[in-house]
Amino acid sequence: MKRLNFLQKRASARMWHAACLCATAAWSVLPAARAAQDEEKPNILFILVDDMGWQDTSVPFRFDANGQPVASPGNGIFKTPGMEKLAERGMRFTQAYTPSVCSPSRTAIMTGLNPSRTHITNWTDPGQPKDTSMHGIKTMNPPAWRIQGLTAKDPSMAKMFKGAGYRTIFVGKAHFGPTPNKAAQPEALGFDVNVGGCGAGQPGSYLGKDNYAEKAFREQKKMGPRDVPDLEKYHGSDTFLTDALNTEMTREIKKSVGMKKPFFAYFGHYAVHGPLMMDPQFAATYPKLNGALKKYATLISGMDKSILSLLDTLEKEGVAENTLIVFASDNGGTAPKPQPCQPLRGMKGTPYEGGIRTPLIIAWAKPNPDNPLQKKYAIKPGSTCDRVVALQDMFATFGSMVKGKVPAKLDSQDISGLLTAEGKCDRPQTYFVNFPHEHQDAYYVLLRDGDWKVIYHYHTKAWELYNLKDDIGEQKNLADAEPKKLAEMARKLVAEHKRHDAQFPIDAQTKKPAQFVMPGAAVSRKG
């Protein structure tokens, strides 16, 4: 009852805040004048989709040795003209990485810290701090991870932007920690505006006629932990959630332009996370699909429609040339079968590429080689980058671009050099993930290092080794065939585990942290 009262009070406070904003006089400035903001600092529009797979788009993210795109099943299913336009205007990153579940990914982006370092290694419960790990495997238990999510002591990308003179906007899904933990809410993290962001990892409903709320709580006339807040004006309407959030983001961008302040706008789509619900605007777009896959596809198209809408807004407001757009997904896909994550193995929650690769695009909203900002960051339209990067790199990268104050001890790497004419960056070609929990897979830790990838399963003491250059689908476990390489990668993995202060799961029998069993002593194989 206390939690529900907290949520009800929070909703009332936000309704009052929204009313005050509506009462504020609107700015009326011509686009030419609006564009006169500080030309030394770009606007940043960060678009983060929820649970969208690497190939859940008509934009290919795989290329052959000659630089020609290699189509996947997903590329032939989904229609994403907005993503196509971004790819035409900017750079596609073919090997961009993120943790395999949402809260670790989102907190890594916000803090620039690998989740192993913050110990926010699983998704956080929306209503209260509690362990969300599954407990199907009896030999292991999760460690004492940080179930409350972010705290005031953590670095914050939004605070960095505020310190650099930016207006900071948050619209959509947050999921940085449970809603009752005020320190994990967008307002506490440095956002001037928050619409829809709370502890929910998914919406109660995508339908305005449902008040974007779960049925059980709607019938009780109470606010549930997954109900999307701040959208009361759309309640009872036919407005799909993606459209409502897009309208709010559009309004806030226009306000920032009117204020002649550079903006950092974080658009966290609830789509395409469940509950899978049909976006009726796009039902006719997929006449050959049915069931869950059709619903999923319409959610993809609704998200993509917002890209086109925002590009149009930026153009009309006269700030498109000064606005950098970064598009990504928070983790691997969850598309219904037949799984369009192919040719990648696995999905969200797994240690395989289908769980941790994200479709990253960075582009100027309107390319113009004569624009002063674009001369510095001369992103070649239609280009690709095959280097290993991570979404946690956005903190240091944005900080470099906007001259913000970036904490020294981050896992984030500045990759802004890849956006210049020289295209140079000394980022180590590694990525580390520790997942001492159960989800789609269980109790694993992995390291990508160059072309090689090693995975260790704590509960089975099994090692997997893959050469991703030759085997992007991770079909051939080379742990037995390449013992020297496995030993080398295992040592590197152990070193990275220690360097990141990563946690071990707890052995259910000894009640002590599990330890690595190095290759040669392992009792089982997997893969």
Side-chain angles (χ1 to χ4, degrees):
M1 184 60 69
K2 289 183 178 180
R3 177 172 59 83
L4 290 176
N5 288 338
F6 171 84
L7 292 169
Q8 289 169 336
K9 290 178 180 178
R10 182 174 185 268
S12 298
R14 284 185 165 178
M15 289 178 68
W16 178 86
H17 180 62
C20 290
L21 288 175
C22 291
T24 303
W27 290 86
S28 177
V29 188
L30 293 175
R34 288 174 173 175
Q37 67 173 57
D38 185 354
E39 293 184 354
E40 294 299 315
K41 295 184 177 182
N43 302 309
I44 305 288
L45 172 57
F46 179 61
I47 302 173
L48 189 66
V49 189
D50 195 6
D51 287 4
M52 178 182 177
W54 188 58
Q55 296 284 57
D56 294 355
T57 168
S58 53
V59 177
F61 280 85
R62 186 187 183 194
F63 297 83
D64 63 20
N66 297 317
Q68 296 301 309
V70 178
S72 73
N75 298 151
I77 293 175
F78 302 107
K79 312 297 182 186
T80 54
M83 287 184 65
E84 290 175 18
K85 187 164 288 189
L86 286 183
E88 290 169 1
R89 297 180 180 186
M91 180 179 287
R92 269 175 278 187
F93 289 78
T94 64
Q95 299 189 94
Y97 285 95
T98 175
S100 66
V101 292
C102 42
S103 294
S105 174
R106 292 163 185 273
T107 56
I109 293 167
M110 188 56 57
T111 65
L113 296 172
N114 189 291
S116 300
R117 202 175 300 284
T118 63
H119 296 170
I120 307 173
T121 44
N122 203 0
W123 61 276
T124 56
D125 185 86
Q128 57 184 315
K130 70 177 183 181
D131 182 27
T132 53
S133 303
M134 298 173 66
H135 295 277
I137 294 176
K138 304 302 182 183
T139 58
M140 291 281 163
N141 290 311
W145 60 286
R146 199 200 289 182
I147 60 177
Q148 77 270 28
L150 292 180
T151 70
K153 295 181 180 180
D154 292 311
S156 167
M157 180 191 292
K159 291 179 181 178
M160 180 274 290
F161 272 104
K162 279 183 69 70
Y166 277 67
R167 183 171 186 255
T168 51
I169 305 165
F170 189 95
V171 173
K173 174 178 170 177
H175 207 188
F176 302 126
T179 298
N181 177 14
K182 294 182 180 181
Q185 304 312 307
E187 299 94 329
L189 299 177
F191 285 99
D192 297 313
V193 176
N194 172 31
V195 181
C198 61
Q202 66 182 61
S205 170
Y206 280 95
L207 305 180
K209 67 180 182 181
D210 291 342
N211 298 347
Y212 312 115
E214 293 180 271
K215 182 178 179 180
F217 291 96
R218 196 167 66 247
E219 291 176 347
Q220 299 174 41
K221 297 182 179 180
K222 296 180 179 179
M223 188 173 183
R226 292 186 174 86
D227 297 357
V228 182
D230 313 316
L231 299 177
E232 290 80 8
K233 69 180 77 171
Y234 304 99
H235 287 183
S237 74
D238 292 328
T239 307
F240 206 74
L241 176 58
T242 306
D243 289 333
L245 295 173
N246 185 75
T247 298
E248 294 301 308
M249 177 58 80
T250 299
R251 178 179 292 108
E252 294 302 333
I253 287 176
K254 288 181 176 179
K255 285 182 181 179
S256 293
V257 175
M259 296 166 68
K260 297 184 180 180
K261 289 194 68 173
F263 61 80
F264 168 56
Y266 182 130
F267 193 172
H269 282 282
Y270 279 93
V272 292
H273 198 294
L276 293 184
M277 303 181 79
M278 184 82 70
D279 187 334
Q281 302 170 88
F282 300 98
T285 304
Y286 301 98
K288 295 182 180 180
L289 300 184
N290 53 58
L293 184 56
K294 182 164 186 172
K295 293 176 182 178
Y296 186 89
T298 65
L299 289 173
I300 290 280
S301 287
M303 172 280 301
D304 188 80
K305 173 191 169 186
S306 77
I307 297 174
L308 294 172
S309 172
L310 290 170
L311 285 172
D312 184 61
T313 295
L314 294 168
E315 173 70 19
K316 290 179 178 178
E317 294 297 309
V319 296
E321 289 186 12
N322 285 0
T323 301
L324 187 77
I325 298 179
V326 178
F327 175 96
S329 174
D330 67 338
N331 47 244
T334 57
K337 294 182 180 180
Q339 189 186 36
C341 242
Q342 299 169 358
L344 303 184
R345 178 179 176 181
M347 59 184 294
K348 171 183 177 179
T350 74
Y352 305 107
E353 295 296 288
I356 60 176
R357 279 206 196 193
T358 180
L360 176 63
I361 303 174
I362 302 180
W364 291 106
K366 182 180 181 180
N368 178 3
D370 295 324
N371 179 282
L373 277 170
Q374 296 191 36
K375 283 183 178 180
K376 185 174 182 180
Y377 299 104
I379 304 172
K380 183 179 179 181
S383 60
T384 61
C385 179
D386 296 326
R387 290 183 61 81
V388 173
V389 299
L391 291 194
Q392 68 193 29
D393 294 336
M394 291 302 104
F395 197 135
T397 302
F398 290 157
S400 173
M401 296 181 75
V402 307
K403 301 178 178 62
K405 186 176 181 181
V406 177
K409 295 183 179 180
L410 294 183
D411 299 305
S412 182
Q413 302 282 331
D414 178 9
I415 64 168
S416 62
L418 298 174
L419 309 178
T420 65
E422 293 78 17
K424 294 181 179 179
C425 177
D426 60 359
R427 185 197 192 282
Q429 293 299 280
T430 61
Y431 186 63
F432 174 80
V433 176
N434 185 52
F435 191 73
H437 308 274
E438 290 181 60
H439 196 55
Q440 301 292 345
D441 208 311
Y443 299 108
Y444 59 79
V445 57
L446 68 90
L447 175 67
R448 167 79 193 264
D449 184 19
D451 293 333
W452 292 89
K453 178 177 175 182
V454 66
I455 304 170
Y456 178 72
H457 298 266
Y458 293 108
H459 60 298
T460 61
K461 304 177 179 62
W463 292 89
E464 297 180 66
L465 180 69
Y466 299 100
N467 185 314
L468 295 177
K469 183 178 180 180
D470 300 331
D471 181 21
I472 193 173
E474 297 170 287
Q475 296 301 304
K476 189 175 182 181
N477 182 3
L478 300 175
D480 289 325
E482 299 278 358
K484 289 185 179 179
K485 191 64 182 180
L486 176 60
E488 174 193 341
M489 290 293 292
R491 288 193 296 270
K492 289 182 177 180
L493 174 63
V494 171
E496 287 297 286
H497 191 282
K498 182 177 181 180
R499 187 175 75 85
H500 284 86
D501 191 28
Q503 292 179 297
F504 286 98
I506 305 302
D507 186 298
Q509 185 173 9
T510 66
K511 310 300 182 183
K512 296 180 179 181
Q515 299 296 319
F516 288 106
V517 176
M518 299 304 286
V523 297
S524 63
R525 294 280 187 223
K526 182 176 179 179

